[in-house]
Amino acid sequence: MLPGTSFISVLQVESPLQLVGVTNPYHAVMAKTAGFNALYLSGSGVATASYGLPDLGMTTLDNVLEDVRRVTAASDLPLLVDVDTGWGGAFMIARTMKEMARAGAAGVHIEDQVQAKRCGHRTGKQIVSTAEMCDRLRAASDAKEYDDFVLMARTDAIASEGVDAAIERSVAYVEAGADMIFAEAVTELNDFRKFKDAVGVPLLANLTEFGKTPAFTVEELASVFVDIALYPLTAFRAANKAVENALRVIRTEGTQKNIVNDLQTRDELYEYLEYYTYESKLDELFDAESNDQSAN
């Protein structure tokens, strides 16, 4: 099954679909074990985790593709990818669509901010005209590698134009080829219902922590017919806090012995990676080689 088709399939059986962000292949493996059915790769996550940069449009298509390939190689769960503004004009957006599909992504979301973008939950965002965003989406839609490759349109217009204007934009985005809508920085639960009623396509709620949108439960989101609940950086933030604490303890106490019980054990790590299966295969190969040498 193609990745985009797989994403659409899981969306039909889990609603809202809990879409969890990963910043490396190992977290993708862990997410599947935890029971998640789809994954997300955040542009902010790539910038921060892979390059130590803020989410201000400083990473390239190739930077993001590298992380896409790593995640899709480690996990067969469908992966939705943040491609910011598409990294350029129509030709570059078309290339982005094709390269993402070839790298194994299930789909992408592209936003209506200007090229010098900001984090979606920060102030000072500037957005392009509806017409320009529709041009982006038409270029993206025309470049799809296959019909089920997901093209999601993200609107950041609420902050500067209000909810009603953002809804109007979203309707136009669907007409221009968007398969789904990502309504960024929604603050009221009922506003999701307004979006859903207007656009008539799957709707995503971004539940990023410390942002504009409250931590709505899946039950609350279901009540207003939201289709996807996105947790883009929750695992990353949890890991970062744990690392911060571990580094502080090692540096100040001169030993890690007081936090060993807080660490993932070697056996737990090996279990996720199926290490012993690989090791058994290695033993078989060595045994076979030894037997061949003995026979000679």
Side-chain angles (χ1 to χ4, degrees):
M1 184 182 295
L2 292 167
T5 307
S6 178
F7 187 89
I8 292 170
S9 295
V10 296
L11 187 59
Q12 292 171 346
V13 299
E14 181 184 345
S15 185
L17 173 65
Q18 287 188 297
L19 190 60
V20 64
V22 297
T23 53
N24 59 64
Y26 182 53
H27 285 180
V29 172
M30 296 182 74
K32 182 172 182 177
T33 303
F36 289 95
N37 293 314
L39 304 174
Y40 176 75
L41 186 65
S42 158
S44 175
V46 171
T48 306
S50 295
Y51 295 94
L53 294 171
D55 182 25
L56 291 168
M58 292 189 281
T59 48
T60 66
L61 168 60
D62 287 342
N63 293 155
V64 179
L65 280 171
E66 183 62 33
D67 279 3
V68 172
R69 294 186 187 105
R70 289 171 176 167
V71 170
T72 57
S75 174
D76 60 358
L77 294 182
L79 176 70
L80 180 71
V81 181
D82 177 1
V83 299
D84 291 338
T85 60
W87 292 291
F91 291 145
M92 193 62 194
I93 290 170
R95 179 171 177 247
T96 294
M97 292 290 286
K98 292 183 180 299
E99 293 295 339
M100 285 290 161
R102 291 168 185 164
V108 302
H109 69 74
I110 188 168
E111 64 198 56
D112 56 9
Q113 286 197 55
V114 297
Q115 294 290 340
K117 59 151 291 175
R118 299 175 186 237
C119 171
H121 289 251
R122 294 292 299 154
T123 58
K125 294 185 295 182
Q126 301 295 317
I127 56 176
V128 299
S129 67
T130 300
E132 183 172 341
M133 179 59 175
C134 287
D135 286 343
R136 290 178 182 176
L137 292 167
R138 279 189 282 268
S141 181
D142 288 346
K144 280 188 176 187
E145 288 286 277
Y146 55 93
D147 287 343
D148 283 348
F149 187 81
V150 174
L151 173 59
M152 182 182 289
R154 170 178 140 177
T155 181
D156 285 75
I158 290 176
S160 58
E161 297 182 353
V163 171
D164 291 341
I167 292 172
E168 289 182 14
R169 279 176 168 265
S170 297
V171 171
Y173 297 167
V174 172
E175 293 173 352
D179 303 307
M180 304 180 189
I181 292 294
F182 181 147
E184 180 70 308
V186 174
T187 59
E188 302 295 330
L189 189 64
N190 195 51
D191 286 339
F192 284 118
R193 178 64 181 269
K194 294 177 182 177
F195 269 94
K196 181 67 176 182
D197 288 345
V199 300
V201 297
L203 178 67
L204 180 147
N206 183 8
L207 303 174
T208 188
E209 301 81 20
F210 316 111
K212 302 292 186 182
T213 304
F216 296 121
T217 66
V218 289
E219 290 80 10
E220 289 172 322
L221 294 172
S223 73
V224 290
F225 303 101
V226 168
D227 301 274
I228 304 170
L230 173 62
Y231 312 87
L233 292 168
T234 310
F236 180 57
R237 290 189 173 108
N240 290 346
K241 197 65 178 179
V243 170
E244 182 182 58
N245 180 62
L247 295 175
R248 178 187 58 79
V249 169
I250 292 169
R251 185 62 174 166
T252 58
E253 299 181 11
T255 178
Q256 79 277 41
K257 66 182 181 181
N258 290 326
I259 58 169
V260 166
N261 290 337
D262 296 329
L263 306 181
Q264 186 182 61
T265 68
R266 185 186 301 273
D267 282 342
E268 289 168 338
L269 172 70
Y270 285 179
E271 185 174 354
Y272 278 113
L273 298 177
E274 298 181 350
Y275 177 90
Y276 295 114
T277 301
Y278 285 98
E279 196 172 68
S280 295
K281 182 63 175 178
L282 191 62
D283 291 340
E284 290 175 13
L285 292 172
F286 277 120
D287 287 343
E289 183 178 337
S290 297
N291 291 334
D292 288 342
Q293 290 175 350
S294 298
N296 293 329

